[in-house]
Structures are given as C-alpha cells and as structure tokens.
Amino acid sequence: MTDRYRSFVNSAIGRQIAPRLGLPQPPVLQRHRVGDPVVDGPVLVGAAPGGRLAGAIARTLAAVGAETWTTEAGDLRQTAADAGLAPKIYADGAAGDQRFKALVLDATGIADVDALGELHAFFHPVARRLQGCGRIIVLGTTPELLDGSARIAQRALEGFTRSTGKEIKRGVTSQLVYVAPDAEDRIASTLRFLLSPRSAFVSGQVVRIMPSDRDPELNWSEPLKGKVALVTGASRGIGEAIAQTLARDGAHVVGLDIAPLADELAAVTGRIGGSAITLDVTDDDAGAVLAERLKADHGGVDVVVHNAGITRDKTLGNMKREVWDQVLAVNLRAPEAITRALLDAGTINRDGRIVGVASIAGIAGNFGQTNYATSKAGVIGLVDALAADVAARDITINAVAPGFIETQMTAKVPLGIREAGRRLSSLGQGGLPVDVAETIAWYASPASAGVNGNVVRVCGQSLLGA
Ligand code: NAP
C-alpha cells in the first residue's frame, strides 16, 4: 500500500511546501539491499569509565569494516587498536563538520547517578552530527542482575534512549542493549542488526543479551544456510516477507497457509525454492501433523515463526463469543499448541529458534480489539513462559511486536485511523513487511544464541503503548 502523504512531502514540491505549513515530514527510510555494508558511514564509539564492552564493540566494527572514530579516552583507543582498528580521534570542535552514521556508547561502567553524566558528556557534543537514518546505540548491564546504585543507574539508561528516539528526527533510531555479565562475546549479531538499515523501523527498544556457550560457525552472508524454517501464514503480507528474507539468508523455507490460499502459497514458496504445507493451524492435530511432516521431509526444523494471525474487531459489548474464540484460537492457542507439540516430539533441532508475532496492541491495548490484544499479549506470555525451558535445550524463543505495517490487514483500516497509525510514531510512517522480517532474521541467526526471551517492537516507536 502506498503512503501518498510521505511520497508527497519527499517530492521536490512537497519538500518546499511542508516546512512552510509546519506539516510533519516523515523521511524515506534507508533499507538493506543485498551486498550493502552493515554501516555505510563513520561510527563514533565512546565508553564510560569502567566499561567492559569496548573490546567486543571494536571487534564487531573491525569485522564489518566500519570507519571508526573514538573520543579521546586513551584506553578505548588502545582497545580499538587491539581489535585491529585504527580509529580516528574525535575532539569536540576540532573535527570541522564531521558527521556520523552511528554513535555507540559502552555504558556498562555507569554505576551511580553521577556517572549518568557520561551520557551527556558523550552525546551532547555530537547530537546534531548524526546523518539521516543514523543510529544511537547504548550498551549497558541488565539491571535485574545488579543491586543498589548500579541497578538504579542502569535502569535509567532506558529513559535516555527512548527520548533520543523521539527527539532526533530524519529516520534516526535509538536503542538500548543490556548485556549480561559473561555475554560480552554475544553482542555481534545484535550490534550488526541495530547498526544496519535492517533495523530501519525499530526504535526506542530494549534488547537483553544473555550468555550462551553455543559457538556456531558463523556465516554472515548466509547465516541460515542448511537450516529449515517453518513460517505460518506465509502466502502474503508479513509472512511472505519473512519467507523471502529467511530464504535470502540461506534457509529452506516451509511455508504454511490455509487450503484456500494454496495457489498464493505455492507461488511464494516456488519463488524462493521452498516447500509448502496447506494446513489450518487451529486444527486439533496441527502440531502432530507438522511434527511428522517436518521430521519426515526435513529431519526436523530449525526456525519456527508463528506469523499466521487474524483480526475480528468489535467492541466488547458487540462481540460474539464465536469471534472471540476464533481470534484466540489462531493467534494464541495455535502457537502455544504447535510449539509444545514440536518441542515434545523433539522436532526443533538444537540451536533452534522460535519466534512469535505479537503486536503493539498486545502491549498497549486497542479500541475494538479486546480479543486481538488479549491474544497478542498472550504471545508475549508464551515467550516469558518458555524462555528458560527452551534455553536448557539450546533453543531461543523471542517475539516481534509490529506496529502499523503496510499490508492487506492494515489496508482495511478506516482512513482516519490508518493515518493516525502511521503518523503517531517517531518515524512518522508505517513500516514495511520486510522490517518485521529483518527483525525475525536477526533472532533466527545462529549468532543470536544469547538473544532469548525478548519482545522487540517493530513500530517506528509508535506512541501507542510507548
Ligand atoms: P495477513 O495479510 O492477513 O496474513 C496473515 C496470513 O495468515 C494470511 O495468509 C491468513 O489467511 C493466514 N491465516 C489466518 N488464519 C490461519 C489459520 N488458521 N491457519 C493458517 N493460516 C492462517 O496479515 P499480516 O498483516 O501479514 O499479519 C501477519 C502477522 O502480523 C499477524 O499475526 C498479525 O496479527 C501480525 N501483525 C500485523 C500488523 C500489521 O500492521 N499488518 C501489526 C501487528 C501485528 P486468511 O486469508 O485466512 O486470513
């Protein structure tokens, strides 16, 4: 679906008229294309004293060939040099009109309120020096694993990144990554994702990374090579984009949809060299059928994406029980039952990935969506309930919570609500199915072994549920 307003304000005439009339100017977001570098501009790295991630950050930046700058902190410069980087030194005022594509701060050393001043010290001089579609990334320590002043100060980081996401426009995103002690060597996949245009529509999010002793061989260009991915609701919209993106990353995709959509599904899986299963996920034996088919045809499954979902909106007073049941059955009962069936049958391979598709309605609630919001909040509950259990089998479970994404589902929304859904967010526009798909591809990567139990909103920092 075309966002005509955004196209207009980015046209030659629109660019002149919109600022004069004080109209919002949602930018054209930069998105990843195959062959693009992870980050296509200079990255400025800083560290609060006492941090523990500078080495891991530097190794990732060296691996992606980023032009790296540091502030003048002596230790940081040495750490970067040890990682094979020859960082340029940025001193406020001395680098002319130098601009940055990303600002990255290791804030793990911040252990009390006074040390929060390090946020101001690092970001204030460069806040106006970010390029369009730039990135702000703060890395801290998981507060729940700390006590006392350090816990308070680390929790405070969230207010900073959520605010910079709202304040700095032009497609800039801002994220907080909490890295547990001993998970320093697990940050690469997350840092790459958040630095790159793959995370174009993700902003104001908090990601938690846990330690993992899995040490898969990493293939960054085709991370899912040799893996099998099941995607439900794959015949169109977000599911189609997920199927395409996981196939791009090397997976053999098994697309699933209901029988009436068999032709559309076959067209999608045919284009990506995948296979198709027509099945209603709400069938009582859906889990057993899938366990059997996936084992027989592929020896198991590595990535399971529960994307199939429906809306049947009515205010509660007008909602028939049947409609309530339909939505709960597709959106929540099926993902839970299928996940349990595949786990019980041992169909999900070691290093497997389970991904739920929730919604910001499941976080914020929504008018006319008591059924849908209940089901989507339940998807978040599924992640919470299973994360520890699956981790014991070297499997992860995470969810995405999309905001307004341009699909057939949102095309049916009345115009006024549709426009509000698009504009009431920091990025001022709806996202594309590929934005959800890229987030799922990051979860699915073998390099994301430490990313477990997360719910990341793909919503351009929508004000709904903010
Ligand atoms: P969509 O275009 O309606 O696609 C969903 C697919 O799932 C359809 O092909 C649908 O078939 C299929 N499906 C429905 N019930 C099924 C069942 N019982 N068994 C198997 N397949 C079934 O929706 P979308 O916009 O791409 O959304 C994909 C997911 O993202 C959903 O879980 C949705 O709730 C979530 N989401 C979307 C947005 C958004 O802005 N678009 C925002 C937040 C969350 P039918 O023809 O039967 O519907």
Side-chain angles (χ1 to χ4, degrees):
M1 201 177 25
T2 324
D3 181 348
R4 292 208 176 86
Y5 176 78
R6 198 205 58 189
S7 304
F8 169 71
V9 294
N10 283 288
S11 68
I13 184 157
R15 273 198 296 272
Q16 291 180 10
I17 291 173
R20 284 188 209 159
L21 297 179
L23 295 172
Q25 288 177 279
V28 175
L29 299 180
Q30 186 183 350
R31 289 191 167 83
H32 175 76
R33 288 164 309 181
V34 173
D36 282 355
V38 169
V39 56
D40 67 355
V43 181
L44 179 69
V45 185
R52 59 190 167 83
L53 291 175
I57 295 168
R59 283 191 290 281
T60 297
L61 293 177
V64 304
E67 178 190 331
T68 306
W69 291 63
T70 65
T71 45
E72 281 183 300
D75 285 356
L76 184 58
R77 193 178 176 196
Q78 187 54 49
T79 308
D82 292 347
L85 288 168
K88 297 178 187 169
I89 301 301
Y90 177 78
D92 186 22
D97 59 0
Q98 177 63 40
R99 297 176 81 79
F100 297 101
K101 190 69 187 211
L103 307 173
V104 180
L105 179 69
D106 172 9
T108 52
I110 292 179
D112 58 30
V113 177
D114 289 345
L116 286 167
E118 294 292 332
L119 293 170
H120 188 274
F122 177 69
F123 286 104
H124 166 73
V126 288
R128 294 202 184 93
R129 291 181 175 273
L130 262 171
Q131 296 176 10
C133 298
R135 300 283 184 261
I136 290 175
I137 302 173
V138 175
L139 297 107
T141 300
T142 323
E144 303 84 70
L145 302 176
L146 297 170
D147 293 318
S149 298
R151 181 170 184 154
I152 296 166
Q154 287 293 319
R155 179 63 181 76
L157 299 177
E158 213 177 302
F160 180 82
T161 49
R162 289 196 198 272
S163 295
T164 45
K166 290 187 174 172
E167 187 174 300
I168 303 179
K169 301 293 180 192
R170 296 175 294 111
V172 170
T173 65
S174 178
Q175 328 284 357
L176 173 60
V177 183
Y178 282 133
V179 183
D182 298 326
E184 294 81 12
D185 60 346
R186 296 288 140 188
I187 68 170
S189 75
T190 301
L191 203 49
R192 281 172 179 248
F193 172 65
L194 296 178
L195 280 170
S196 84
R198 295 171 198 253
S199 57
F201 201 60
V202 177
S203 192
Q205 297 308 292
V206 182
V207 173
R208 285 173 166 73
I209 303 182
M210 298 296 290
S212 161
D213 56 11
R214 302 301 296 148
D215 203 9
E217 218 173 282
L218 299 180
N219 167 354
W220 293 107
S221 58
E222 279 192 305
L224 299 180
K225 200 167 179 178
K227 305 272 184 187
V228 174
L230 171 71
V231 181
T232 69
S235 70
R236 63 166 195 244
I238 294 172
E240 178 180 4
I242 297 167
Q244 282 167 349
T245 304
L246 298 184
R248 175 205 68 190
D249 283 356
H252 176 89
V253 174
V254 180
L256 179 153
D257 219 308
I258 46 173
L261 292 173
D263 290 349
E264 289 87 337
L265 179 65
V268 171
T269 54
R271 278 198 296 277
I272 59 175
S275 31
I277 295 182
T278 49
L279 181 79
D280 187 327
V281 291
T282 65
D283 288 350
D284 286 343
D285 61 350
V289 168
L290 282 172
E292 202 271 316
R293 290 277 302 268
L294 290 167
K295 198 84 190 163
D297 296 350
H298 306 285
V301 67
D302 301 287
V303 181
V304 176
V305 185
H306 296 292
N307 164 76
I310 59 169
T311 51
R312 298 286 183 272
D313 298 358
K314 285 273 180 220
T315 54
L316 187 58
N318 288 325
M319 188 184 292
K320 295 206 168 92
R321 175 62 192 254
E322 177 193 324
V323 166
W324 170 276
D325 287 343
Q326 274 173 0
V327 169
L328 268 291
V330 177
N331 296 2
L332 183 56
R333 187 174 334 103
E336 181 184 355
I338 290 172
T339 300
R340 290 195 192 280
L342 295 180
L343 286 170
D344 290 349
T347 316
I348 304 180
N349 297 329
R350 194 167 185 207
D351 294 319
R353 304 280 184 261
I354 303 163
V355 184
V357 178
S359 164
I360 56 170
I363 296 169
N366 209 8
F367 182 91
Q369 291 200 316
T370 49
N371 51 358
Y372 184 74
T374 302
S375 71
K376 293 301 186 178
V379 171
I380 296 171
L382 183 66
V383 170
D384 292 345
L386 295 189
D389 287 354
V390 298
R393 303 187 192 195
D394 295 320
I395 293 170
T396 68
I397 181 165
N398 297 281
V400 287
F404 187 98
I405 305 293
E406 306 281 358
T407 65
Q408 285 187 24
M409 194 183 253
T410 47
K412 289 185 211 144
V413 173
L415 180 66
I417 300 174
R418 195 161 72 217
E419 270 305 286
R422 282 173 173 150
R423 306 301 159 219
L424 292 179
S425 66
S426 296
L427 296 174
Q429 58 194 291
L432 300 180
V434 71
D435 298 325
V436 180
E438 292 283 14
T439 307
I440 290 173
W442 155 61
Y443 284 148
S445 167
S448 296
V451 182
N452 187 28
N454 282 268
V455 178
V456 165
R457 292 168 48 159
V458 185
C459 66
Q461 204 178 18
S462 169
L463 299 186
L464 195 64

